[in-house]
Amino acid sequence: MRLFSCSRAFTLALVASIALPAFATVDDAHSFAMEAAVPFVEQGFIVREDYWNGEVKSGQKLMIKHQMFKGNEYAFWLGSANEDVTFELKVYDDKNKEITIDSKADKMFASMRVNPPKTGTYTIVFSVTSKKEKGIYWALAYGYR
């Protein structure tokens, strides 16, 4: 009986030590979005706790309506837990005019700044595209100053 329990413990330890492939999650996507926020926080942006996330087909465009106020500058951070993706991230006013000041993309996230010309509801349009994956995990966070 003692031999069996030692053998069983060894087997469990061996199985636990085998590196399993990492799987992407929405939480990972949010972590990458927060990584994109770091330089903005250093510039005085306040990160909001609420954010949007989910899984989407590669290349599918998503739209989010968001209230913004004149006088505030906003930053949006789009993160993905999937590797080798390309990002598209833009903001449009009620007349479908793009108001994006600048945007940047990295390997796992993209960022964008906007300065709304007037208080109102704006449309954030974004997509994440992968040549390898059909489903992409994403998270979109934001802040203001």
Side-chain angles (χ1 to χ4, degrees):
M1 189 68 126
R2 179 85 170 135
L3 180 61
F4 176 74
S5 65
C6 288
S7 175
R8 185 173 179 201
F10 175 75
T11 302
L12 289 173
L14 180 62
V15 169
S17 69
I18 296 173
L20 298 174
F23 294 100
T25 67
V26 172
D27 290 337
D28 295 332
H30 184 243
S31 292
F32 285 114
M34 291 296 88
E35 186 177 326
V38 170
F40 291 86
V41 170
E42 292 170 352
Q43 297 173 21
F45 279 83
I46 299 167
V47 177
R48 296 297 307 242
E49 287 186 32
D50 54 333
Y51 63 95
W52 305 271
N53 63 40
E55 183 179 9
V56 67
K57 289 167 74 173
S58 176
Q60 180 180 348
K61 288 191 186 273
L62 297 174
M63 295 189 315
I64 294 174
K65 298 282 188 176
H66 185 63
Q67 179 77 25
M68 289 190 262
F69 299 92
K70 181 179 179 174
N72 287 343
E73 181 179 1
Y74 293 85
F76 293 89
W77 309 291
L78 177 61
S80 174
N82 301 79
E83 294 183 3
D84 299 322
V85 296
T86 56
F87 298 94
E88 183 179 342
L89 180 60
K90 297 180 180 182
V91 175
Y92 298 93
D93 66 11
D94 59 347
K95 294 180 181 159
N96 209 28
K97 180 182 173 194
E98 185 179 349
I99 65 161
T100 305
I101 295 174
D102 68 3
S103 60
K104 296 177 184 173
D106 203 327
K107 186 176 179 179
M108 303 299 279
F109 53 79
S111 62
M112 170 190 59
R113 286 185 318 120
V114 298
N115 194 354
K118 64 181 183 176
T119 297
T121 303
Y122 292 82
T123 305
I124 305 158
V125 178
F126 63 95
S127 66
V128 184
T129 305
S130 171
K131 292 181 182 177
K132 296 179 182 178
E133 305 289 333
K134 291 183 181 182
I136 306 291
Y137 290 107
W138 62 272
L140 180 66
Y142 74 101
Y144 67 95
R145 68 174 175 182

